[in-house]
Amino acid sequence: MIELVLVVNAVWFGLGFHLFAFRRMIFAKIIVPKEYRETPVFETLAATGPFLGGFNFAFCVLSVILLFNVSLFPELEQRIILFAVIAIAHGSQFVANLPIALENRKGKGVWQIKGLMRFIFITDFSLMLTNAVVVVIYAW
């Protein structure tokens, strides 16, 4: 089970890296409504993609290292900390979008949590919980 969680983490963070670093205009289009895409702010947002991609790349590499070399972290406490940090990484993405999703329910919000963005929102929540379960399993 732990290996599967690590594979899913690596794939998810790898996809995030690809989207933010290499497909930054698509990332920006997901966030920015069509009527605002001709503004300088759109380009600024798109330019942040590689920065965000770097964080995803680091977590992807961490997940791959753990997958193939879990023995590098022989202590149970080390593994608990690593999976807790990964859970927090996924959770931070969910928590950052939660206020916007709640505003969407009122017909507001800076961007819409629908389509691909909803998928991202739900997947980060699910992976936060999944990694937290691994923490609980290790701690038990």
Side-chain angles (χ1 to χ4, degrees), residues 56-89:
N56 280 272
F57 183 70
F59 279 107
C60 176
V61 169
L62 175 63
S63 297
V64 170
I65 288 170
L66 285 170
L67 179 63
F68 292 109
N69 299 297
V70 76
S71 62
L72 289 173
F73 306 97
E75 300 295 323
L76 201 54
E77 293 81 11
Q78 293 172 329
R79 294 179 187 181
I80 289 170
I81 290 168
L82 288 167
F83 277 95
V85 168
I86 293 171
I88 291 167

Side-chain angles (χ1 to χ4, degrees), residues 22-38:
F22 300 115
R23 309 287 296 214
R24 61 190 185 92
M25 297 307 280
I26 290 173
F27 147 67
K29 287 179 181 178
I30 292 169
I31 302 294
V32 179
K34 288 180 184 178
E35 60 268 20
Y36 298 108
R37 292 183 188 160
E38 298 300 320

Side-chain angles (χ1 to χ4, degrees), residues 83-84 87 127-137:
F83 277 95
L127 288 173
M128 172 191 69
L129 288 180
T130 303
N131 283 274
V133 167
V134 171
V135 169
V136 170
I137 289 169

